[in-house]
């Protein structure tokens, strides 16, 4: 009698016996649901060169094994190039510890099936799960090397946003908070990197990385993520290039791919194909890319209302462009934006957030205003039982002049390096949310930074993730009010040290 695993594998072999055609598309939407713990065999090519290793493909957040063949030509491309393949289903919403342990068992089974070492290709969080399997669950004897396609090795600032003061409750309502999203906070990933990068197993298997820099046109599904992450450097709409890198890995390429396109066979297979041979040997060519320091490029407010509501935000002088993004659980909200002179702007584009986002199933209502008037702007909204998060993104010199640092002794300092900000007029309301772990109820406290002080001490509440929302108000050098919101995530260990 066949085991379930073997039955599924044979069904997939029969399915793959006919050529599959795929085009680039959105990740997750309409994909068959996978069964965690199953793996599937691709059709064996007529001839397999002895030095070509089998490829094992690992999916990312909120996805399944079918992401490699549904609206994707990756399987077809590998088959056409004479490679044996296997596809793995992990838990779509669990952290790297649960998935790493599960994946380690699957890799052993697949290794025994092929009778030779494997090449693992992981997309997004799949690359983190793969490293957890090899390093922490001792699956390295079954693998030649690992290739990661835009994996957030250092976390994603979008996950930080999902657990912040203004956005955390919305992500919870949307049902997109999970152990996986929690583990992708940059503070959590700092702790994970400290546990992983010093582990004796980390250098047993070579790693090769890819990063993307495209997030599509205005209003596209990845545009908002790319706009938010642009404060942290080049990104693909979900993961920054900096986060896609490992200091001991070989960076194969950083290209004009978005987070979905980078997993397409027609996009990247020919670039990582030279690394699929058993005897391939390449020097470490990882390059460095400094993070953008313009962390203060946006302002956030959020809430819920029954029939209508309004929000006010300031625009200082010299702003070349603003983009207002109203993230909502409602598709048909009525929005009116009024400038300081009462002029109405209502031509909002509407787009749904992709499945691999912490805000999956939300709708973005977005509008961009070039050369906006300085002063108070008013957003008016009407809908029924709407939950929303309003983000305003500024192109302004203040973005570069306003900075935030956290010292090793937990001093959070807000300061200005330039001439566009009145340094003695900066105030900040700071909301600190402490998470002992993903299961514990968070603790929330508020801190205030007044005009006469540049720093605030972050209290120690215990080991865990500290998600910090900093709402800044101040005056420009010409006396205009400005607003900004900065969201940070840090991990403090039991000795009250910030893990970096």
């Amino acid at each position: 009698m066949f085991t379930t695993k073997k039955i599924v594998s044979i069904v997939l072999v029969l399915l793959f016996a006919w050529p599959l055609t795929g085009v680039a598309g959105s990740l997750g939407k309409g994909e068959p649901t996978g069964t965690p713990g199953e793996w599937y065999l691709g059709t064996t090519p007529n001839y397999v060169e002895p030095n070509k290793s089998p490829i094992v493909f690992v999916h990312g957040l909120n996805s399944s094994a079918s992401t490699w063949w549904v609206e994707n030509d990756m399987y077809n491309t590998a088959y056409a190039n004479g490679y044996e393949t296997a596809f793995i289903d992990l838990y779509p919403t669990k952290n790297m510890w649960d998935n790493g342990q599960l994946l380690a068992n699957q890799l052993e089974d697949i290794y025994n099936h092929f009778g030779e070492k494997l090449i693992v290709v992981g997309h997004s969080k799949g690359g983190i799960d793969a490293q957890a399997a090899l390093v922490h669950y001792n699956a390295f004897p079954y693998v030649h090397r690992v290739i990661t396609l835009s994996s957030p090795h250092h976390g994603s600032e979008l996950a930080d946003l999902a657990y912040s003061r203004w956005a955390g409750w919305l992500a919870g309502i949307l049902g997109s908070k999970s152990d996986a999203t929690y583990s992708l906070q940059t503070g959590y990933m700092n702790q994970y990197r400290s546990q992983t990068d010093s582990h004796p197993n980390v250098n047993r298997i070579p790693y090769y990385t890819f990063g993307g820099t495209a997030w599509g046109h205005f209003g596209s599904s990845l545009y908002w993520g790319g706009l938010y992450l642009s404060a942290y450097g080049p990104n693909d709409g979900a993961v920054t290039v900096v986060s896609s890198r490992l200091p001991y890995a070989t960076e194969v390429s950083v290209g004009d791919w978005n987070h979905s396109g980078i997993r397409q066979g027609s996009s990247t297979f020919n670039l990582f194909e030279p690394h699929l041979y058993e005897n391939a040997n390449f020097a470490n060519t990882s390059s460095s890319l400094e993070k953008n320091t313009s962390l203060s490029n946006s302002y956030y407010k959020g809430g819920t209302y029954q029939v209508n509501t309004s929000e006010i935000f300031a625009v200082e002088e010299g702003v070349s462009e603003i983009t207002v993004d109203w993230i909502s659980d409602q598709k048909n909200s009525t929005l009116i934006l009024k400038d300081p002179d009462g002029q109405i702007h209502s031509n909002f584009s509407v787009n749904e957030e992709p499945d691999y986002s912490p805000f999956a199933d939300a709708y973005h209502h977005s509008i961009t205003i070039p050369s906006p008037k300085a002063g108070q702007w008013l957003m008016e909204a009407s809908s029924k039982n709407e939950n929303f998060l309003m983000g305003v993104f500024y192109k302004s010199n203040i973005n570069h002049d306003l900075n935030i640092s956290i010292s090793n002794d937990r001093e959070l300092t807000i300061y200005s390096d330039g001439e566009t900000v009145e340094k003695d007029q900066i105030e900040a309301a700071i909301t600190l949310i402490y998470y002992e772990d993903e299961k514990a109820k968070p603790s929330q406290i508020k801190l205030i930074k007044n005009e006469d002080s540049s720093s605030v001490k972050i209290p120690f509440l215990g080991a865990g993730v500290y998600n910090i929302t900093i709402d800044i108000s101040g005056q420009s050098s010409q006396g205009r009010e400005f607003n900004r919101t900065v969201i940070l995530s840090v991990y403090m260990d039991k000795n009250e040290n910030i893990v970096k």
Side-chain angles (χ1 to χ4, degrees):
M1 179 178 293
F2 292 119
T3 65
T4 302
K5 182 184 301 177
K6 290 181 179 177
I7 292 173
V8 173
S9 299
I10 289 172
V11 170
L12 264 293
V13 168
L14 293 175
L15 172 65
F16 289 161
W18 286 270
L20 298 175
T21 57
V23 295
S26 62
L27 171 64
K29 293 292 182 185
E31 290 181 8
T33 301
T35 302
E38 298 292 354
W39 57 270
Y40 317 96
L41 289 173
T43 300
T44 302
N46 292 330
Y47 173 71
V48 179
E49 294 181 27
N51 63 340
K52 285 186 175 181
S53 298
I55 312 171
V56 178
F57 291 96
V58 183
H59 66 79
L61 177 71
N62 293 332
S63 188
S64 67
S66 61
T67 193
W68 299 104
W69 66 81
V70 174
E71 295 187 333
N72 189 348
D73 60 355
M74 184 63 84
Y75 163 71
N76 280 346
T77 304
Y79 176 79
N81 280 273
Y83 286 91
E84 297 172 290
T85 53
F87 305 85
I88 282 176
D89 265 323
L90 299 178
Y91 300 108
T93 58
K94 290 196 175 183
N95 61 30
M96 70 285 288
W97 305 109
D98 291 328
N99 275 349
Q101 186 172 21
L102 180 63
L103 178 56
N105 294 329
Q106 293 170 310
L107 290 175
E108 182 179 10
D109 287 349
I110 298 171
Y111 167 81
N112 289 331
H113 170 82
F114 286 113
E116 59 180 306
K117 287 189 176 183
L118 315 165
I119 303 291
V120 175
V121 176
H123 175 241
S124 194
K125 183 176 172 289
I128 300 171
D129 295 338
Q131 190 175 35
L134 271 61
V135 174
H136 296 287
Y137 296 101
N138 299 310
F140 61 86
Y142 316 123
V143 175
H144 271 306
R145 59 190 64 91
V146 176
I147 297 166
T148 65
L149 306 176
S150 196
S151 291
H153 294 294
H154 305 276
S156 174
E157 289 81 4
L158 288 173
D160 297 346
L161 179 63
Y163 282 84
S164 68
R165 174 194 179 188
W166 291 119
W169 64 275
L170 177 59
I173 287 173
L174 293 167
S176 52
K177 280 187 172 181
S178 66
D179 291 355
T181 306
Y182 179 88
S183 71
L184 291 178
Q185 293 178 89
T186 57
Y188 188 101
M189 285 302 297
N190 284 342
Q191 169 70 355
Y192 175 74
R193 294 259 60 91
S194 72
Q195 295 171 295
T196 303
D197 293 348
S198 60
H199 196 285
N201 287 344
V202 77
N203 292 316
R204 292 180 181 270
I205 303 298
Y207 291 82
Y208 300 84
T209 67
F210 284 74
T213 60
W215 15 293
H217 57 81
F218 174 78
S220 63
S221 61
L222 284 163
Y223 181 83
W224 173 77
L227 186 62
Y228 182 81
L229 291 174
S230 65
Y232 304 90
N235 68 88
D236 66 0
V239 176
T240 64
V241 172
V242 168
S243 189
S244 74
R245 290 173 166 158
L246 288 168
Y248 42 80
T250 296
E251 183 172 77
V252 180
S253 183
V254 173
D256 189 28
W257 306 294
N258 66 30
H259 196 65
S260 178
I262 201 169
R263 65 182 170 85
Q264 299 291 324
S266 53
S267 296
T268 51
F269 184 87
N270 68 312
L271 295 173
F272 66 71
E273 199 266 345
H275 302 268
L276 301 178
Y277 292 84
E278 293 179 10
N279 57 357
N281 186 21
F282 298 88
N284 187 316
T285 59
S286 182
S287 59
S288 62
L289 181 69
E290 294 298 323
K291 287 188 178 182
N292 190 327
T293 56
S294 303
L295 300 184
S296 50
N297 72 337
S298 56
Y299 173 67
Y300 280 96
K301 290 292 291 290
T304 184
Y305 68 92
Q306 299 297 317
V307 180
N308 52 65
T309 192
S310 62
E311 294 288 348
I312 295 173
F313 61 91
V315 175
E316 69 273 12
E317 77 286 345
V319 176
S320 62
E321 181 180 279
I322 61 170
T323 296
V324 181
D325 189 52
W326 188 271
I327 309 172
S328 169
D329 60 353
Q330 303 296 318
K331 184 177 182 179
N332 299 314
S333 304
T334 299
L335 302 174
I336 296 175
L337 179 64
K338 295 181 179 179
D339 70 15
D341 294 338
Q343 182 179 350
I344 291 175
H345 305 268
S346 58
N347 188 25
F348 286 79
S349 69
V350 181
N351 241 188
E352 190 171 4
E353 185 74 355
D355 273 6
Y356 45 74
S357 164
F359 299 93
D361 297 327
Y363 294 92
H364 290 272
H365 307 256
S366 306
I367 190 169
T368 293
I369 310 293
S371 303
K373 293 181 179 294
Q376 296 285 337
W377 286 65
L378 176 67
M379 173 70 93
E380 296 179 343
S382 59
S383 187
K384 184 178 180 180
N385 299 323
E386 182 176 28
N387 302 284
F388 72 93
L389 174 67
M390 181 188 74
V392 184
F393 298 87
Y394 302 82
K395 288 187 177 180
S396 168
N397 288 332
I398 281 181
N399 298 355
H400 302 277
D401 291 349
L402 195 63
N403 289 291
I404 294 173
S405 66
I406 301 178
S407 67
N408 290 333
D409 58 356
R410 311 200 312 273
E411 288 285 342
L412 187 154
T413 303
I414 304 171
Y415 60 98
S416 174
D417 286 332
E419 303 299 325
T420 63
V421 176
E422 287 291 337
K423 297 177 176 59
D424 59 354
Q425 296 294 315
I426 300 173
E427 296 184 357
I430 302 167
T431 303
L432 189 154
I433 305 177
Y434 164 66
Y435 298 89
E436 181 180 3
D437 56 48
E438 56 267 46
K439 304 299 184 186
K441 183 178 180 180
S443 302
Q444 179 171 311
I445 63 173
K446 293 186 181 297
L447 308 171
I448 300 294
K449 189 203 84 67
N450 297 315
E451 296 174 3
D452 57 353
S453 174
S454 62
S455 300
V456 173
K457 186 84 167 183
I458 300 175
F460 179 71
L461 303 177
V465 175
Y466 290 66
N467 190 291
I468 304 167
T469 301
I470 308 165
D471 291 312
I472 302 170
S473 61
Q475 288 187 8
S476 69
S477 57
Q478 297 184 29
R480 288 285 190 177
E481 180 186 1
F482 69 83
N483 302 129
R484 294 293 192 275
T485 302
V486 177
I487 295 166
L488 302 173
S489 175
V490 298
Y491 188 96
M492 280 197 228
D493 63 23
K494 62 182 181 180
N495 297 318
E496 305 185 20
N497 296 318
I498 294 176
V499 178
K500 295 184 179 180

